Amino acid sequence: MSYNWCHGPECHTKETQSRIRGSGRDKVLRTIRIKQGGSYRTHEQYQMFNYFCNQRCLMDFIRTHLTSIVAIAPRREALETPIKVEKAQLKDYYDNPYIRTRITKVDNA
Ligand SMILES: [Zn+2]
């Protein structure tokens, strides 16, 4: 089984029972160790939690390294998604008219 240490820059300073290590009176707060591919972490949506023990550590990492992270894939111009817009006049439960806007994405593939 392989493990990662949580990448949260402040992880080892959070005062929780699960971080306490050492024997006797002199102990340490240690970074959380994360088992790889455990349960839900195999799902693409949650793979970040193979590297961070919780959302706070993830956000601490992003705040600390934001400039470097954005530099990996800079966005220098806006992206656009082609759509079609249809407007329809409808009536609500009380017979008041309202306009519904319906957006349909255009498949250019
Ligand atoms: Zn952590």
Side-chain angles (χ1 to χ4, degrees), residues 43-55:
H43 194 285
E44 186 178 319
Q45 184 179 354
Y46 300 109
Q47 283 183 7
M48 66 193 94
F49 294 113
N50 283 317
Y51 303 96
F52 301 96
C53 70
N54 60 33
Q55 196 144 3

Side-chain angles (χ1 to χ4, degrees), residues 26-82:
D26 295 322
K27 297 183 186 297
V28 295
L29 293 170
R30 182 180 289 168
T31 301
I32 295 282
R33 192 174 75 156
I34 303 164
K35 188 165 79 176
Q36 290 308 280
S39 61
Y40 68 95
R41 287 186 225 102
T42 55
H43 194 285
E44 186 178 319
Q45 184 179 354
Y46 300 109
Q47 283 183 7
M48 66 193 94
F49 294 113
N50 283 317
Y51 303 96
F52 301 96
C53 70
N54 60 33
Q55 196 144 3
R56 179 176 60 189
C57 280
L58 169 62
M59 294 311 292
D60 286 347
F61 182 88
I62 291 171
R63 255 191 307 280
T64 302
H65 301 289
L66 183 61
T67 309
S68 303
I69 293 168
V70 172
I72 293 168
R75 168 93 58 240
R76 297 204 168 84
E77 54 193 50
L79 304 179
E80 295 180 345
T81 301

